[in-house]
Amino acid sequence: MMLVDSNCVLPWGDGFYKLARSEPQTFLKLPPSIFEAVVRAVTRSAAHDPKVLQNGWEDALTQPWLGAEGQRNFVRQIAQANDGDVAEMLDADLYGRVRCDVKVMWGEQDQWIPREKIEDLIKRLGGRFKEKAFIPDAGHLAMLDQPGRFAIEVFDWLTRFGSGRNHVDL
């Protein structure tokens, strides 16, 4: 299994995320142009170098969240995010029950998931944790910030460990 920028340890979210969860009606009332600016800012914050988004990625990543339906869906998915799922995994030590080898990838400049959360996840995986790739000059969108390094890490892991015999026993 490969976990990429996985948000698997509590608490979740930065200031924006917490505000959107606590005040969803405010975000639903924003005029479309202001809401689009917010979504674009959130998208840009996921990249270490926002210039990587200029070749069409920013539009592709923001498009689903624009318009009245997109705005409702964006706010809904944040407001309905349930910490309980992750809390259950943590409380029952379910990460320790993973039965396959695990590689963890993370962009070293990820503004969404701090390094200490990734380190905590690695610790919780115990002996199933086999490898990490902390990618320099990459944010939450490591696959866009450093596509070559990202592709090499994925290909290497899959060619060495990819098979149908590994699974998670929950």
Side-chain angles (χ1 to χ4, degrees):
M1 176 185 334
M2 178 178 285
L3 300 175
V4 179
D5 290 329
S6 296
N7 202 2
C8 300
V9 181
L10 296 175
W12 282 356
D14 60 6
F16 168 77
Y17 182 85
K18 290 174 183 171
L19 179 62
R21 275 186 83 182
S22 68
E23 302 291 335
Q25 291 305 315
T26 300
F27 288 89
L28 289 172
K29 293 176 185 175
L30 289 175
S33 61
I34 301 298
F35 186 77
E36 179 176 347
V38 168
V39 173
R40 288 184 181 279
V42 169
T43 301
R44 284 190 295 274
S45 76
H48 170 60
D49 180 4
K51 291 179 195 155
V52 303
L53 300 172
Q54 291 176 353
N55 63 355
W57 278 111
E58 182 176 330
D59 290 337
L61 294 169
T62 58
Q63 187 59 41
W65 309 117
L66 302 181
E69 183 178 355
Q71 185 170 353
R72 281 191 306 276
N73 290 337
F74 182 88
V75 173
R76 179 189 44 77
Q77 63 115 13
I78 293 174
Q80 290 180 349
N82 185 350
D83 295 353
D85 296 336
V86 173
E88 181 180 345
M89 294 288 291
L90 297 171
D91 293 344
D93 192 30
L94 295 179
Y95 293 119
R97 293 178 58 190
V98 172
R99 294 183 12 200
C100 61
D101 294 334
V102 180
K103 178 174 185 167
V104 175
M105 286 179 50
W106 175 74
E108 288 185 347
Q109 281 71 42
D110 189 329
Q111 295 179 37
W112 291 13
I113 303 174
R115 182 183 190 112
E116 58 269 12
K117 291 193 187 223
I118 297 299
E119 297 285 359
D120 188 9
L121 171 62
I122 288 169
K123 184 178 90 176
R124 291 173 184 277
L125 288 167
R128 298 318 311 185
F129 167 73
K130 297 299 178 199
E131 192 172 308
K132 68 182 175 184
F134 287 2
I135 302 175
D137 300 319
H140 195 69
L141 294 174
M143 67 291 298
L144 297 181
D145 280 319
Q146 296 296 329
R149 171 73 186 272
F150 187 88
I152 289 168
E153 295 291 346
V154 171
F155 181 78
D156 177 63
W157 180 255
L158 292 177
T159 55
R160 289 187 295 126
F161 295 99
S163 101
R165 71 182 190 286
N166 293 327
H167 63 279
V168 176
D169 182 24
L170 297 178

